Amino acid sequence: MKMRVNNSQLLFLSRQETSGNFQKEGTLRVGRQERDLRERFCRLRGNLLFILKTQGGKLEEVLLLERCEVMKLPDDERRLAVVFISCDPAVFLESSSSAECASWLAVLRDANTDTLRRRIAHLRTVISTHTAAHISRGEEDLEDCAGEGGVESAAKVSPLDMSFECRVVVAVAASRVKVQVCVIDTHTHTVRKHSCCEIVEGPDDSVFLTSVRFRGDYPLYHHSRINVTFHHQEEPTTHTTRSFLGFTSFSVRDLLRSKEPHISLSLRMIDGVSEAGEVKVSRLQMEGETPPEHECPAVCDRLHSSVHDKENSPMMRAVLCAQVCKVYRFLTEDQRWLLVREQMSETPLSFSLPKQLLSTLIRSHTSRIQEVKELGDLSPHWDGLRHDVINHCNHLIGCYQETLAELDKLSASSCFKSSSSKSDKHLQFVPTNLHSQRMEVTGPNSPGVWYEVITFGAPAHHHQAFKHGGLKRLLSKHTNNRDGSVSYSQDESSRARELLASVAQLQPLVFGLAEELLAVSLELNAAQLQQVLDSLTQQTEQFVHALKDELVKSALLAIHSQRSASDNNSHVHSNGLLCDNTLRQQASPGQQDASRRDAEEYVEEEWDRAWANVAMSLNCIHAMGDRLQGREHRHQEMTSSEEQEATGDTNCQNTASSSSSSSSSWQEQLLPLVVTLRDCVREAAGKARAAMTFVVLQGAVAASVAQGPEHIVQRRHAVFSQALSAVVCGFMLKLFGGLEDPDFLLQLHSVGVLVQFEGLLSTYGDEVGMLEDMEVGVADLSTVAFTVSEAKSEQADDLLPTLSGAWGSLVVEVPLPPETFESLPQEVKDGRLIRVHPVLFNIGINQQQSLAERFGDSSLQERVNQQSCERLRVYCNTLTDTLPHTAGIQSLSDLLSSLDRSVQTKKRKNVEVLWIAATVCRRVNGVRLTSCKSAKDRTAMSVTLEQCLLLRERHTLSPRHFSAALDCMRRDGCRMENVQKNVGSRKFAFSGVQLLTFPKLYRPPDGSFGSTH
C-alpha cells in the first residue's frame, strides 16, 4: 500500500548510500500493469520498498510490505507481483534474470510483516505442542500459512462450489458491495485472482450472500488458501482504505474436513486484528438432484467462476482478453440443476486487423500508382485518366497513413473502442464495442456445451454521419452518374501488364534479327542465313502467339466503343466519365444495334488482319530465303563445271563479278520483305500496346476513381474493416471449437462458412444510414476467404491472424499450433480457401421503428431480409447437395420455409425472423453476430434472450423459470458489465415510455434501466 508520511524523512531513508542499510537494491522494471513496466531503481529497507526513478534520483513511490502477498508469476520466471489484501492495484516487478528474480522474491517475502507474524504464530504452536501428532499438524499449518512445503497430496479438489454469508457491523446497501476472491497456492507461492463479483442477495443491510464456483480444471488443492475481500464499489478502478470493509481467509482443507455444513470466520479490518463482522462459508453440492438443506434455495442463482480453465489455451489467449465471467444455476423441467457459465471478452483483433487492412490498402494504392506511371507517354485523354488515378490514390494513402499513425500511438494492449468513441475520426476503422459473448451449459449428466455470438456496434461511418444517407444510397447515386464503360479485374490487369512486357521485349528482338538477316545476306552464306532465319521465325511466332490473346481483341472493341460514344456524345471528363449530348438526334434502338455490330466486326477484322500480316510477311521471307538458297546451290554446281574450261586471270575476275552480283541480288530481294515485316510488327505492336494500356488504365480506374469520390471509398473501407474484425473473431472461435469435428472441417473447405448478421436498427432517422452502411459492408465480406496455416510457435503474436491480398480478394490466414495443425484434414493443411457467405437480417425493435412502420418507410429492411433469405437458401441447398449426410441439415427445409413465411408476413417488429435465422445459422455451424447502434442496450436484450431460448429449447430450462432466468442475466450478467465499461453506469439506456414500444421479450427488468447521466 502507499504510505502518506513525512516526505523529507522518506527521502533521507531512501538516499542512505551505506550498503548495510538496505537488504537489497538494484534495477527492476516496475508498473501497475503487466504490459506497462518501466525501469526503476529499487531499494529494500526493512518492510519499505523504495522506488526511485534512477539511482540517486527522484523518489517516485514507497511500498509498505504489509497485508500483502509476494508471488512469482506462473508464466514468466523473471516477474513478481505484490498483491495487497486491501485491493490496491497489484505492483509488478521484473528482474533481468530468473536468479535475480528468486533473490528478490526471498528478501521481499522475508520483509513482509505477514510472514513474520505467521512464523511467530507457528513457533508458538510448536512450543505448546508436545506430541508427534501435534507436531505433524503444526507442519501442515506451516505449509498452509508460509508456503514452506508439505506432504499433502497435490490432487485437485475442484470442482468445488461454495457460498458466503457475510454479516458486517456497519450496515451497507448490498448493491454497493463488491467481493473479490483470490486463491493462494502455498506450494508454488502464486496468487490467482479468481473473481470479482457483486453481492447477490441479503435479507437486510448487514447481511450479504454470494456464491463462487471453481471448475473441474481449476488448480485448486487441499493446500490452497482462499482469500475473500469485501469493499465498497464507490471507486471501481482503485480501492482505498476508505472503501475497504474487511477480509478473511481460510484453508480449503479446513472447509473439506469440517463436519458442519459451514465454517465460521472472522471478518477482519485492514490491520489484521480488529473484527468487522463474521463470514460463514458453506460447501454446495451442485450436481445433486435436489440441493442440500444448508444450500441457498434460490431457483435462479448467480455464481462466480474463474477464467483460468481449459478455454484459456494459447489459441484463446491470442483472440480473447479482458474476460468477464458470470455463472448461474437454473432448474430444469425435471427439477435438476443446470449450470450456466456466461463469458464476455474483448479481443485484440479490434485493433490489429484494422491496422493490417490499412497497411494493405496503402500498399495496394502505392502499387497502383507505380503501375500507371510505368505506362510511359500517353495521349492527353489517357494521361488525364492517369492523373485522376494518381491523385485519387495519393489522397487515400495520405488519409490512411494518418489514421494508421494515430492507431499506432495507442497502447499495444488496446482491445476496446467504447460506444462514446464511435464518432472519433481516427477510430473509424475500429469496430465499436466488439466483444465475444459465450455461454457454456453443463447439465447433470452432460459435459459443457458452448454457444457463441459476436456483438459489436453496427458497422457504419459515424464520423461522416448520415445526412446524405449510407453507403447503399451513396453508391447508387454514384453508379447512376457513371457511364457503362468496361472495367477489368485485377487478374486481367496483371495479364495486360505481362503482355505489355512481352511486346516490349519481343519487338526489339524481331527488329534486330531482321537487320541481322539483311547483313548476313551480303555474305552469301546459306547456312548462316538459315540460322538467322530460324531465330527470326522463333521470335516472330512468339510475338504472334502473345498477340492472339482474347484480352487484346476485347480491349480493342472497348476502345472503339468508347471512341464512338465520345464522338457521338460530346466530350469526356478528366475522370473518364462520358457526358451525354442531349442536343444530338437519337437513333432508333435497331439502328444503334446494327451499327454496333458492324463496328465490332470491323474491329475484329482489323485486328485479325494485323497479326495475320505479320505471319504472312514472315512466310514471304521464308519463301524468298528458300529460293535464294536454291539459286545459290545451282550456281555453285554451274561454277564447278566451268572451272575446268576457264583460264586463271579471267576466271578470277568472272568469279568476283558473279559474287558481287549475287550478294547484291540477295539483299535487294530480301529488303522489301523485311521492311514489310517490320511495318506489320510495328502496327500490331502499336494496337496491342494501346489495348493493354487501356486495360491497365481501366483496371486502375475501376479500382480507384470508379469506386466513387474519396470520401465514399474511405467510408466503404472503414465499414468493411469493422465488419471484418468481428467476422474474423467469430470464425476463429468457431474453428477452435470445431477442431475435433471432422464434419465441420469438411464443410469448411467444401462449402465455406456461413456468417449471419443480426441487426436491430430501425429504418427511421440516422439508423437508416447505418443500415445502408451495414448492408454494403456485409456484402463486401463475400470477397473474403480464410486459410489455415501452421504457427511458428504458441506465442500470442504468432497465433494472431494475418491479412494478405488486395481489395476484392483479401485472404485471412489463421495460424494454429503445430500439434493442432497436424490433426487437420489434408485439404485444409494444403491451404484450400474457406469462402465466406454473409447474410444480414434486420428487425427494428425500438420506438423509432414504430414511427417508421406507422409514418415512414421500412422497405429497406424488407429488401435486405428478402435478399438474405434467398442467399441463405442457396447456401443451405449447396450444403445439402455437397454433404447430404451432415447432422442436422435434414430439418433445414422446414426452417427455411418458416423463415420465408416470416419474411413475407406484413407484421410489425416481427422478431421471429431473427430467431429462425439464428436457428438456421447454428444448425449449419455458422458464425453469429448481433448489432445495434452501439451493441450496448438493444444488443444486450437480444443476446440474453437468445441464451435463455437456447437453455429452454436445448437444455430443458423450466418454462416456469424462463422469465426469472432472463431477468437474472439482464440484471446481473455480463451485459450489465458491458454497459458499465461503456458509459460508467449500470443502467440500460431505456426509458419506461420507450420500452412500451419494445416487444415484450426485449424489455429489461425493473430497476435495470433509466438515465445513464
Side-chain angles (χ1 to χ4, degrees):
M1 65 183 70
K2 292 184 179 180
M3 291 179 53
R4 296 181 179 177
V5 295
N6 189 289
N7 189 50
S8 60
Q9 180 66 20
L10 287 178
L11 288 174
F12 174 77
L13 292 175
S14 67
R15 291 178 179 175
Q16 290 284 341
E17 297 299 335
T18 306
S19 59
N21 290 337
F22 302 102
Q23 282 83 7
K24 189 171 180 62
E25 60 182 356
T27 301
L28 297 173
R29 298 183 70 230
V30 184
R32 296 280 178 176
Q33 297 181 358
E34 287 190 71
R35 297 186 180 182
D36 188 21
L37 303 183
R38 299 185 179 182
E39 191 171 284
R40 295 293 182 263
F41 189 79
C42 299
R43 285 174 169 159
L44 179 66
R45 181 170 185 174
N47 64 346
L48 298 179
L49 180 64
F50 297 93
I51 301 175
L52 295 85
K53 193 165 186 179
T54 57
Q55 185 173 2
K58 180 181 178 181
L59 178 65
E60 285 196 343
E61 188 175 356
V62 181
L63 295 182
L64 175 62
L65 300 178
E66 185 173 342
R67 314 308 304 165
C68 65
E69 293 286 345
V70 183
M71 61 177 182
K72 181 183 292 186
L73 296 185
D75 56 348
D76 195 333
E77 291 295 326
R78 299 182 297 117
R79 287 194 177 189
L80 304 175
V82 182
V83 181
F84 298 95
I85 294 177
S86 63
C87 292
D88 275 353
V91 177
F92 297 95
L93 309 172
E94 181 179 300
S95 59
S96 58
S97 65
S98 57
E100 183 70 7
C101 179
S103 175
W104 274 103
L105 178 64
V107 297
L108 289 175
R109 280 184 174 156
D110 288 342
N112 187 358
T113 55
D114 287 346
T115 303
L116 181 60
R117 289 194 184 102
R118 289 173 189 163
R119 289 180 177 176
I120 294 173
H122 169 64
L123 290 174
R124 287 174 177 171
T125 303
V126 173
I127 292 173
S128 62
T129 304
H130 301 287
T131 65
H134 287 170
I135 294 174
S136 175
R137 176 63 178 170
E139 291 174 352
E140 292 178 357
D141 290 342
L142 176 60
E143 171 198 71
D144 289 341
C145 297
E148 298 290 324
V151 295
E152 186 72 48
S153 171
K156 291 182 181 179
V157 297
S158 52
L160 183 63
D161 300 278
M162 60 185 72
S163 67
F164 297 97
E165 178 182 332
C166 176
R167 184 178 297 275
V168 295
V169 176
V170 180
V172 181
S175 61
R176 297 176 58 189
V177 177
K178 283 272 190 178
V179 181
Q180 179 174 294
V181 180
C182 296
V183 178
I184 305 170
D185 190 320
T186 57
H187 281 182
T188 62
H189 309 293
T190 59
V191 178
R192 291 177 181 266
K193 183 178 178 181
H194 179 75
S195 63
C196 188
C197 50
E198 300 172 359
I199 293 296
V200 174
E201 50 184 293
D204 57 56
D205 288 344
S206 62
V207 179
F208 311 127
L209 301 175
T210 191
S211 44
V212 174
R213 171 173 171 78
F214 295 90
R215 292 169 49 86
D217 47 5
Y218 187 86
L220 189 69
Y221 308 96
H222 284 274
H223 59 259
S224 300
R225 292 189 64 82
I226 297 178
N227 188 88
V228 186
T229 306
F230 297 82
H231 55 81
H232 296 278
Q233 67 168 8
E234 295 174 347
E235 302 172 32
T237 54
T238 59
H239 307 294
T240 63
T241 305
R242 179 181 169 187
S243 67
F244 186 77
L245 289 177
F247 79 98
T248 190
S249 65
F250 60 92
S251 168
V252 173
R253 181 189 298 105
D254 293 341
L255 177 64
L256 298 180
R257 289 182 177 179
S258 175
K259 297 181 180 180
E260 299 296 327
H262 62 263
I263 59 173
S264 297
L265 306 167
S266 296
L267 185 68
R268 290 173 291 172
M269 297 297 291
I270 197 169
D271 60 5
V273 179
S274 305
E275 293 188 3
E278 181 185 19
V279 179
K280 291 183 179 180
V281 183
S282 304
R283 181 185 178 188
L284 305 179
Q285 301 291 331
M286 291 298 298
E287 298 297 327
E289 294 186 8
T290 57
E293 293 181 359
H294 62 273
E295 186 178 335
C296 182
V299 173
C300 298
D301 277 352
R302 179 165 64 87
L303 312 177
H304 302 278
S305 173
S306 168
V307 300
H308 299 281
D309 59 0
K310 64 182 179 182
E311 294 298 315
N312 196 23
S313 64
M315 294 183 295
M316 286 300 201
R317 288 199 302 270
V319 182
L320 304 180
C321 60
Q323 299 176 352
V324 176
C325 297
K326 306 289 182 180
V327 179
Y328 315 87
R329 54 174 183 167
F330 303 126
L331 277 178
T332 62
E333 293 176 346
D334 56 356
Q335 299 301 301
R336 297 165 70 88
W337 285 114
L338 195 66
L339 192 66
V340 179
R341 178 171 180 239
E342 185 186 31
Q343 176 181 305
M344 183 184 69
S345 309
E346 298 174 11
T347 172
L349 303 182
S350 292
F351 283 81
S352 68
L353 273 172
K355 288 198 279 189
Q356 289 189 58
L357 179 61
L358 284 166
S359 299
T360 299
L361 293 173
I362 291 172
R363 288 195 299 270
S364 297
H365 290 306
T366 303
S367 175
R368 189 165 297 118
I369 291 174
Q370 186 63 28
E371 290 169 5
V372 297
K373 282 184 176 180
E374 291 175 352
L375 293 176
D377 295 333
L378 299 175
S379 65
H381 169 61
W382 284 8
D383 195 48
L385 276 180
R386 174 163 60 185
H387 280 297
D388 286 345
V389 171
I390 293 174
N391 292 337
H392 185 278
C393 293
N394 276 331
H395 180 86
L396 292 178
I397 290 172
C399 293
Y400 293 165
Q401 286 176 337
E402 179 184 355
T403 300
L404 187 58
E406 291 297 325
L407 292 180
D408 286 336
K409 292 178 182 178
L410 300 176
S411 170
S413 61
S414 296
C415 297
F416 171 67
K417 170 187 168 183
S418 68
S419 60
S420 60
S421 302
K422 59 179 173 286
S423 298
D424 192 312
K425 176 183 177 181
H426 296 115
L427 294 179
Q428 289 309 298
F429 276 71
V430 180
T432 301
N433 195 18
L434 173 59
H435 288 84
S436 73
Q437 179 83 18
R438 310 175 71 223
M439 179 178 71
E440 183 190 28
V441 184
T442 305
N445 301 313
S446 63
V449 180
W450 284 96
Y451 302 94
E452 299 104 359
V453 59
I454 304 301
T455 64
F456 71 118
H461 202 294
H462 291 272
H463 180 72
Q464 290 187 11
F466 311 96
K467 181 178 180 180
H468 302 290
L471 271 174
K472 190 68 177 180
R473 197 184 318 174
L474 294 172
L475 289 173
S476 178
K477 292 178 182 178
H478 172 69
T479 304
N480 292 336
N481 292 331
R482 287 177 54 193
D483 69 315
S485 59
V486 66
S487 62
Y488 295 93
S489 66
Q490 184 179 356
D491 291 340
E492 290 172 324
S493 297
S494 299
R495 202 158 85 244
R497 289 193 296 273
E498 293 174 1
L499 285 172
L500 282 173
S502 296
V503 170
Q505 179 184 8
L506 291 173
Q507 183 179 355
L509 288 177
V510 172
F511 284 4
L513 288 170
E515 292 295 334
E516 187 177 351
L517 183 65
L518 291 176
V520 168
S521 66
L522 294 173
E523 301 177 7
L524 298 179
N525 188 330
Q528 192 172 359
L529 180 71
Q530 186 61 44
Q531 182 180 357
V532 175
L533 188 58
D534 290 341
S535 298
L536 177 64
T537 301
Q538 180 183 1
Q539 297 298 333
T540 307
E541 287 178 349
Q542 290 184 14
F543 179 79
V544 172
H545 179 72
L547 296 184
K548 292 173 69 174
D549 195 302
E550 285 296 321
L551 181 61
V552 180
K553 183 186 293 185
S554 65
L556 289 172
L557 288 171
I559 292 174
H560 183 79
S561 299
Q562 281 209 357
R563 284 175 178 170
S564 300
S566 178
D567 292 340
N568 295 331
N569 300 349
S570 185
H571 64 284
V572 182
H573 277 307
S574 63
N575 61 3
L577 304 182
L578 302 175
C579 290
D580 292 333
N581 187 348
T582 56
L583 299 179
R584 71 179 181 90
Q585 186 175 359
Q586 296 288 337
S588 65
Q591 292 174 335
Q592 292 178 359
D593 292 341
S595 176
R596 183 170 59 252
R597 285 193 298 270
D598 292 341
E600 291 177 356
E601 292 176 0
Y602 172 76
V603 172
E604 290 184 11
E605 292 174 0
E606 284 290 306
W607 173 239
D608 291 340
R609 181 188 58 79
W611 62 261
N613 284 344
V614 176
M616 287 188 292
S617 298
L618 181 64
N619 291 337
C620 290
I621 294 176
H622 262 290
M624 178 59 69
D626 293 341
R627 186 163 64 249
L628 293 176
Q629 291 181 64
R631 185 186 303 170
E632 175 63 17
H633 180 66
R634 291 193 300 273
H635 175 71
Q636 289 177 356
E637 291 179 351
M638 182 183 67
T639 304
S640 177
S641 62
E642 291 176 352
E643 282 179 352
Q644 300 174 1
E645 303 174 359
T647 59
D649 294 339
T650 305
N651 191 23
C652 291
Q653 292 175 3
N654 289 339
T655 301
S657 176
S658 175
S659 298
S660 175
S661 175
S662 298
S663 63
S664 175
S665 175
W666 279 31
Q667 191 179 56
E668 289 174 357
Q669 294 184 62
L670 284 174
L671 181 59
L673 298 179
V674 170
V675 170
T676 301
L677 175 65
R678 287 189 299 191
D679 290 342
C680 293
V681 168
R682 188 179 293 108
E683 179 188 7
K687 289 180 178 292
R689 190 177 293 109
M692 295 303 94
T693 301
F694 176 80
V695 172
V696 173
L697 266 180
Q698 289 297 324
V701 169
S704 55
V705 179
Q707 295 294 322
E710 290 86 348
H711 72 277
I712 295 182
V713 176
Q714 289 181 41
R715 188 184 195 110
R716 188 171 189 173
H717 289 167
V719 169
F720 173 81
S721 173
Q722 297 174 33
L724 179 66
S725 301
V727 168
V728 173
C729 178
F731 173 80
M732 294 183 71
L733 293 179
K734 182 64 68 174
L735 177 64
F736 297 163
L739 288 173
E740 299 178 358
D741 184 353
D743 291 337
F744 171 68
L745 296 175
L746 178 62
Q747 176 186 341
L748 285 184
H749 69 76
S750 300
V751 185
V753 61
L754 177 72
V755 176
Q756 187 247 324
F757 289 81
E758 174 184 307
L760 300 167
L761 298 170
S762 68
T763 54
Y764 187 88
D766 285 349
E767 292 194 7
V768 176
M770 297 177 203
L771 183 56
E772 291 174 340
D773 275 0
M774 188 175 185
E775 180 185 3
V776 175
V778 170
D780 284 340
L781 290 170
S782 60
T783 63
V784 176
F786 288 94
T787 185
V788 180
S789 64
E790 183 177 1
K792 298 178 182 178
S793 69
E794 294 191 1
Q795 296 296 322
D797 290 342
D798 291 333
L799 293 173
L800 285 174
T802 56
L803 200 61
S804 61
W807 178 261
S809 58
L810 290 169
V811 176
V812 182
E813 182 179 322
V814 178
L816 295 179
E819 292 184 4
T820 305
F821 182 79
E822 286 302 319
S823 64
L824 295 177
Q826 190 61 43
E827 294 85 353
V828 178
K829 291 196 290 185
D830 289 342
R832 182 172 296 184
L833 295 180
I834 301 170
R835 294 294 175 185
V836 175
H837 301 270
V839 293
L840 166 63
F841 291 91
N842 184 86
I843 296 293
I845 62 172
N846 63 358
Q847 73 282 2
Q848 289 185 317
Q849 185 61 29
S850 299
L851 295 175
E853 291 171 343
R854 291 180 180 273
F855 311 110
D857 180 16
S858 59
S859 59
L860 171 61
Q861 175 176 282
E862 295 170 1
R863 177 178 55 78
V864 167
N865 291 342
Q866 183 61 46
Q867 292 176 352
S868 294
C869 189
E870 295 170 359
R871 286 195 290 267
L872 182 59
R873 181 175 289 278
V874 170
Y875 176 85
C876 292
N877 289 341
T878 304
L879 177 62
T880 304
D881 295 340
T882 307
L883 305 171
H885 303 295
T886 303
I889 67 172
Q890 304 303 324
S891 59
L892 284 180
S893 179
D894 294 338
L895 284 172
L896 291 173
S897 298
S898 299
L899 182 60
D900 278 334
R901 289 193 296 270
S902 296
V903 169
Q904 296 294 337
T905 301
K906 300 297 182 181
K907 180 181 177 182
R908 294 176 179 174
K909 298 181 181 177
N910 188 9
V911 291
E912 290 182 1
V913 171
L914 304 180
W915 302 348
I916 300 173
T919 302
V920 174
C921 179
R922 294 195 185 280
R923 194 68 56 87
V924 299
N925 298 311
V927 177
R928 283 271 300 111
L929 303 101
T930 299
S931 297
C932 60
K933 182 177 181 179
S934 58
K936 179 171 58 68
D937 304 306
R938 281 170 283 176
T939 296
M941 301 301 103
S942 175
V943 166
T944 50
L945 175 60
E946 181 176 0
Q947 291 179 167
C948 288
L949 289 174
L950 289 169
L951 292 176
R952 186 179 66 183
E953 296 168 2
R954 299 193 180 187
H955 301 280
T956 66
L957 173 67
S958 174
R960 295 187 298 112
H961 303 136
F962 177 85
S963 297
L966 188 59
D967 290 347
C968 182
M969 286 186 175
R970 288 173 176 172
R971 182 186 296 108
D972 303 314
C974 291
R975 300 315 299 187
M976 186 60 78
E977 302 296 333
N978 184 271
V979 174
Q980 171 77 37
K981 72 191 297 186
N982 273 281
V983 297
S985 171
R986 302 184 67 81
K987 296 283 187 181
F988 294 112
F990 304 130
S991 68
V993 176
Q994 290 174 339
L995 290 176
L996 294 177
T997 65
F998 277 50
K1000 289 185 178 180
L1001 290 177
Y1002 289 82
R1003 300 175 185 175
D1006 291 340
S1008 65
F1009 61 89
S1011 175
T1012 59
H1013 300 291

